[in-house]
Amino acid sequence: PSVQLAVDDMNAAGANITLTTGDSGTDADIANATVDSHLADGIQGIIGAASSGTSSSVIDKVTGAQVAQCSPSNTAAGLGTSGDDGFYFRTAPSDDLQAPTLANLVLDDGFANVAIVSRADEYGVGFNQFFIPAFEDGGGTVTYSETYAPETTSFDDVVADVVASGPDAVVVVAFEEGFQIMIDMIAAGVGPDAIQIYITDGFANETFGEKIDPNNPSVGAGVRGTQPSSAPASGASFFPAAFVEAAGEGTPAIFAAHSYDCAIIFGLAALQAGSGAAADWAPLVVDVTRGGTVCNTYADCATLIAAGEDIDYDGAAGPLNFLDVGEPGAGTYDIYEINADGVLEVLEQIDVG
């Protein structure tokens, strides 16, 4: 919904942008089929994929065709920082920022011995590469850090190994399968009521407890974690209400602001270049996010561009200020906890970087 909202806002301000939808899934075959269709249709900018692993499976095909790609939710450290010829971007901050933030949260909460359960892919492995050194530098000890195959459906053995390692707390870096990990931990007597559990954005959900047990959502109470903020204080003030109006009450908002910004910066770069061809406007994407006159909407930015001014788009997700590699050099993170009703409750925001 947020990409459609961005396209509607741009077209209302005089642009002529067409949105074609497609499913990236979490499967390389699905993602590649969608990309093939988009490339055959002459699409010049692709928003997605949702997961870092899925983007890794298509990034060479997309950027090799000189088509621009912007993911609002790829957080794996190092993704697209080389070899993409300047055609890959992301508005989500990298996990080299989030992982130390979570490590500090765990340490500040008083836990010094932690087991890490994570996916064996770019997301899970990449997160560990930054979490473990930060945690150990802060005086902590990692008791377990094995990864699991993303297609795993039963985690009984993993849970047993985690328990045997004797941690004070457990960090889970997962996608939807993370709920099965939680179910298996609860079945083994080491759920959130028995040991402190931390999660990341991969399977954070507003109704977290219901995803574990619809009949008893309180089983998720006490889980804590971090995620890129869905409504950063530094973000454009109009966006949260506009998103709810466009998407409907209760629609998950995580990465919605980042999705909106992906589309807007592509539109602004194309306007700046005076061309619809990504080969012409992709080199300008970084520039529209930094170093000029600050503007918060496509319409305001377009007015500045028409006047010959350099712009600095600070959007729904806040100031982007892209590094040369096409990603934010800073990020705003929500620190949250699952409350007694099993609902995700944001406790505070932290600016990192």
Side-chain angles (χ1 to χ4, degrees), residues 79-164:
L79 181 62
T81 57
S82 64
D84 64 306
D85 296 325
F87 285 91
Y88 174 84
F89 309 90
R90 57 178 167 185
T91 49
S94 168
D95 283 334
D96 61 357
L97 298 175
Q98 182 174 192
T101 302
L102 182 60
N104 289 336
L105 174 64
V106 176
L107 290 165
D108 290 346
D109 284 349
F111 298 104
N113 299 288
V114 167
I116 309 172
V117 180
S118 52
R119 293 169 59 93
D121 66 359
E122 288 86 353
Y123 176 54
V125 173
F127 198 94
N128 288 353
Q129 288 176 342
F130 291 92
F131 178 90
I132 292 174
F135 189 71
E136 292 179 339
D137 287 348
T141 299
V142 176
T143 65
Y144 173 94
S145 62
E146 297 298 320
T147 58
Y148 62 85
E151 63 272 15
T152 301
T153 57
S154 174
F155 295 90
D156 293 343
D157 291 343
V158 172
V159 171
D161 290 342
V162 166
V163 173

Side-chain angles (χ1 to χ4, degrees), residues 12 21 62 94 97 101 114 118 131 196 210 235 259 266 268 288 328 338:
T21 60
V62 175
S94 168
L97 298 175
T101 302
V114 167
S118 52
F131 178 90
Q196 182 61 54
E210 287 185 6
S259 298
F266 275 6
L268 290 172
V288 303
I338 308 304

Side-chain angles (χ1 to χ4, degrees), residues 8-270:
D8 291 345
D9 286 350
M10 288 188 284
N11 287 343
N16 182 22
I17 297 171
T18 300
L19 176 63
T20 301
T21 60
D23 185 13
S24 67
T26 56
D27 180 281
D29 291 337
I30 295 174
N32 274 276
T34 300
V35 166
D36 289 343
S37 176
H38 286 339
L39 295 181
D41 288 343
I43 299 297
Q44 292 298 297
I46 293 177
I47 311 299
S51 77
S52 298
T54 304
S55 279
S56 293
S57 72
V58 298
I59 187 172
D60 290 343
K61 179 181 292 185
V62 175
T63 61
Q66 293 194 318
V67 169
Q69 178 181 353
C70 180
S71 174
S73 53
N74 289 170
T75 61
L79 181 62
T81 57
S82 64
D84 64 306
D85 296 325
F87 285 91
Y88 174 84
F89 309 90
R90 57 178 167 185
T91 49
S94 168
D95 283 334
D96 61 357
L97 298 175
Q98 182 174 192
T101 302
L102 182 60
N104 289 336
L105 174 64
V106 176
L107 290 165
D108 290 346
D109 284 349
F111 298 104
N113 299 288
V114 167
I116 309 172
V117 180
S118 52
R119 293 169 59 93
D121 66 359
E122 288 86 353
Y123 176 54
V125 173
F127 198 94
N128 288 353
Q129 288 176 342
F130 291 92
F131 178 90
I132 292 174
F135 189 71
E136 292 179 339
D137 287 348
T141 299
V142 176
T143 65
Y144 173 94
S145 62
E146 297 298 320
T147 58
Y148 62 85
E151 63 272 15
T152 301
T153 57
S154 174
F155 295 90
D156 293 343
D157 291 343
V158 172
V159 171
D161 290 342
V162 166
V163 173
S165 73
D168 302 322
V170 179
V171 173
V172 182
V173 186
F175 290 156
E176 282 293 312
E177 75 282 354
F179 293 110
Q180 185 61 51
I181 297 174
M182 298 293 296
I183 290 168
D184 290 348
M185 290 184 70
I186 291 168
V190 286
D193 62 336
I195 191 169
Q196 182 61 54
I197 297 173
Y198 294 87
I199 63 172
T200 59
D201 56 277
F203 72 117
N205 187 284
E206 279 85 349
T207 55
F208 185 85
E210 287 185 6
K211 296 288 187 177
I212 301 171
D213 186 348
N215 298 315
N216 183 22
S218 64
V219 296
V223 172
R224 290 164 64 81
T226 56
Q227 65 180 7
S229 179
S230 58
S234 58
S237 59
F238 75 88
F239 182 77
F243 175 73
V244 170
E245 183 177 351
E249 195 75 43
T251 303
I254 185 170
F255 296 122
H258 302 83
S259 298
Y260 183 89
D261 286 346
C262 269
I264 295 292
I265 60 176
F266 275 6
L268 290 172

Side-chain angles (χ1 to χ4, degrees), residues 272-300:
Q272 187 89 282
S275 170
D280 296 328
W281 55 256
L284 302 180
V285 170
V286 169
D287 290 341
V288 303
T289 72
R290 68 186 192 189
T293 301
V294 173
C295 48
N296 303 115
T297 67
Y298 177 88
D300 289 346

